Amino acid sequence: MGLFSDITSGSTPEPFTGNRWPRILTSMDINFSTDSDGDHLAEWDDMRVWFEGCGSRGEIMVMRAIWGLRPPHEAFDAILHHLNDWNANTFWPRAFVHRLEKHLVVIGDHNINMETGIDDEFLRQQVTCMLAATSRLFEQLAEAFPESKRWMNATNR
């Protein structure tokens, strides 16, 4: 007998695709919009979050948050150092910084290959954890960089 021969399969979870996001987000009372690519976007005071399904069949669950503040280029090294510490000590979201033409963009994301399926409760738990952990990341950045009070706020245009 093989190692897993005694495992009995229960019900098969529903396959994940990005088409499941509206049902999940609505069930969580999250206000969202849908862009022309079919991705779903929700906004909070300190971040915007995209909910997507990527991969050849949309089987990769993707949540990507962008910090509402736009640090200047001169903050790159210090923010990179902070994010490296975050990534070394925290499971998720994975965090990184990009240089754009006029400013920096800080991103936190969480991706899981869900080709075997996922139930709605687990998906809602992933959303809750992503939102809480990413908010904590962005709050820590604001505390670590008091000068961030003067940085451009993209969510309050």
Side-chain angles (χ1 to χ4, degrees):
M1 288 268 164
L3 178 62
F4 299 106
S5 62
D6 291 337
I7 296 176
T8 58
S9 63
S11 62
T12 303
E14 182 180 349
F16 176 80
T17 69
N19 296 332
R20 292 199 37 206
W21 283 125
R23 180 175 78 211
I24 297 302
L25 298 174
T26 299
S27 75
M28 298 177 74
D29 294 325
I30 294 175
N31 293 322
F32 65 94
S33 60
T34 305
D35 67 18
S36 60
D37 295 327
D39 301 325
H40 308 288
L41 167 68
E43 298 189 42
W44 285 268
D45 290 339
D46 63 344
M47 66 180 163
R48 289 183 176 144
V49 182
W50 280 264
F51 300 89
E52 307 169 27
C54 295
S56 61
R57 295 177 309 281
E59 73 279 7
I60 301 172
M61 178 200 71
V62 176
M63 291 179 275
R64 182 164 292 133
I66 296 180
W67 192 22
L69 297 181
R70 300 295 186 259
H73 285 184
E74 34 307 337
F76 182 84
D77 290 338
I79 289 175
L80 181 62
H81 178 75
H82 188 87
L83 295 178
N84 282 344
D85 285 346
W86 171 271
N87 288 328
N89 296 304
T90 309
F91 290 119
W92 51 286
R94 175 181 67 134
F96 52 97
V97 58
H98 278 297
R99 289 182 209 257
L100 297 181
E101 187 176 319
K102 295 181 180 181
H103 50 69
L104 304 174
V105 176
V106 179
I107 300 170
D109 71 1
H110 179 52
N111 311 292
I112 302 176
N113 184 332
M114 296 291 183
E115 66 186 293
T116 58
I118 181 174
D119 66 30
D120 286 356
E121 190 57 34
F122 184 77
L123 194 50
R124 279 189 286 273
Q125 181 210 20
Q126 295 302 301
V127 171
T128 300
C129 291
M130 170 62 176
L131 295 175
T134 305
S135 285
R136 189 171 60 246
L137 166 65
F138 295 155
E139 287 169 6
Q140 285 181 9
L141 281 170
E143 290 170 10
F145 299 94
E147 65 273 24
S148 67
K149 291 180 172 100
R150 296 186 307 274
W151 294 345
M152 182 180 93
N153 188 330
T155 58
N156 295 332
R157 289 184 246 173

